[in-house]
Each structure stands twice: as C-alpha cells, then as structure tokens.
Amino acid sequence: MLLLALDTATPAVTVALHDGTSVIASSSQVDARRHGELLLPAVDRVLAEAGLKLDAVTGIVVGVGPGPYTGLRVGLMTADTFGLVLGVPVHGLCTLDGLAYAADGAGGAPMEGPFVVATDARRKEVYWALYDDPRTRASEPAVDRPADIAGTVAGLPAVGAGALLYPDTFPDARAPEHVSAGALASLAAEKLAAGEELEAPRPLYLRRPDAQVPKNYKVVTPK
C-alpha cells in the first residue's frame, strides 16, 4: 500500500505519503489564497523526499471538507485527476475527522472523552462536529455562528483554528490548529486495514459559494 493523501479544505495545503504502516513523507503550508499554486509542488516534494515516483501510488486519500468552495475544489479535482491517470481508487475523508484523529496525543496526552472540532468557515461562522473520541464522530458536520452553538459545546475541549478564533465559545482550545494530510492518511490506512468503506470523494460544502451572481443582473445579448 502507498497512499497519497492531500487536503485543501482549510488554509493548510497539506500532502503526505503513507506506506500502510506509517507516514513516510509529508508537507504542509498555511496560505488561504494559494491552494492551486502550492498543491502540486507539495506533491512533488513528498515524492522526492520518499524517493518515489507518482506511479508507485496505489490509492489517493482526499479531505472532502467541509470547507470554502474554491480551496476545497483544488484538492478534490487534483485527487480525481490523479486517480484517473493512475487507475487507482480515490477515497474521501471528512477533514474534521482528520483533525479529530490528529488530536489524540497532540498535546502530549491522549484525547479523552467527548470533544468538538471547529474550523474557520469565514463570515463569522465555524464548520464543526462533535466527537465521542478521536475516531468516532457523534454528529454530522455543520456550519453555524459560534454563539448559536455555545450551549451545545459548553464544557467540551475543542481543536481546530475555529476554536482559537472564538475563545468565548471554545475556552478550552487545544492542538492541532490545522489538519494534516499525514493524519488523514493514517486514519484512512487504519480504516482500510479494518475493511471499512471510506466516503466517496465528493465535496462537503454545507453552503453556497461566496461568489454570487449580482441581483438584478441584466443579460445583454446581441440582436
């Protein structure tokens, strides 16, 4: 097994290679505006670090979000293209699940009990979900204003950049801040080894894109 994992659902452009046992190479850069420019060079870097060629990959793992429309599409389209060219399966994983998985031991101790994962959804909102443990999501991903979910998440530890942005709602914010492709790859390898079926590589937007056709738009056609 050689999994190529990538995620562009958050400001982190992250790529990793996993050989079925452990992560053998990884790259992460945080830049919310340059997903398209940074992703392919990151793939080249991890392959070079591992001393491998792209055709050695046996499967693709991609974060499906939730995330902003433009950034999320970069990773998903790249994953689909690699899968088509290489003739290998493309597996989707919720980006929040990757953060939850990485939270286990990120602060030096295992993550115990229920907790929440929250990423920045912009517009003063967060993408979030509840977890029973780092491998078990207890609610469907959602997008909300932090104040509107304060009662639901009260008293729970929280991980992710969204938690850091809104300390009034998430006073117990913990690492990691951003998702890593290494965590996604490790989670996918664990699930595949257990015979679990992963998600389809389809985007989890949760809301309409920021770019909208202006109201009262007048269509001008030639006579």
Side-chain angles (χ1 to χ4, degrees):
M1 176 187 292
L2 183 66
L3 298 176
L4 172 65
L6 50 96
D7 192 295
T8 58
T10 74
V13 179
T14 177
V15 179
L17 283 171
H18 195 288
D19 65 2
T21 301
S22 62
V23 175
I24 59 174
S26 63
S27 171
S28 292
Q29 294 173 270
V30 178
D31 192 326
R33 298 181 181 276
R34 298 176 62 216
H35 293 88
E37 297 174 46
L38 297 175
L39 182 57
L40 291 180
V43 172
D44 287 341
R45 274 197 305 277
V46 298
L47 288 168
E49 181 182 337
L52 297 168
K53 300 293 185 181
L54 184 60
D55 59 9
V57 170
T58 61
I60 311 293
V61 178
V62 61
V64 299
Y69 182 81
T70 304
L72 188 52
R73 285 183 63 200
V74 172
L76 285 161
M77 291 301 294
T78 301
D80 280 344
T81 301
F82 283 157
L84 181 63
V85 171
L86 297 172
V88 299
V90 181
H91 308 288
L93 274 179
C94 176
T95 297
L96 302 180
D97 290 357
L99 268 164
Y101 186 85
D104 196 18
M111 177 67 81
E112 298 179 352
F115 64 100
V116 59
V117 174
T119 60
D120 183 17
R122 305 174 187 172
R123 304 184 193 176
K124 298 181 179 180
E125 294 178 330
V126 293
Y127 296 117
W128 68 283
L130 296 172
Y131 289 79
D132 289 333
D133 59 60
R135 292 165 177 78
T136 309
R137 179 156 32 93
S139 70
E140 290 299 314
V143 58
D144 289 287
R145 289 182 176 273
D148 293 341
I149 61 171
T152 303
V153 303
L156 297 178
V159 301
L164 294 172
L165 284 172
Y166 302 101
D168 289 345
T169 300
F170 308 103
D172 187 6
R174 305 182 184 183
E177 181 177 356
H178 297 293
V179 69
S180 74
L184 282 174
S186 296
L187 178 57
E190 186 176 294
K191 287 177 173 289
L192 290 170
E196 295 183 38
E197 187 173 340
L198 302 185
E199 301 175 33
R202 297 292 176 262
L204 189 60
Y205 292 128
L206 298 188
R207 68 183 183 202
R208 296 178 64 83
D210 292 334
Q212 301 287 338
V213 176
K215 293 182 179 179
N216 303 318
Y217 179 74
K218 185 177 181 181
V219 178
V220 179
T221 57
K223 293 182 179 179

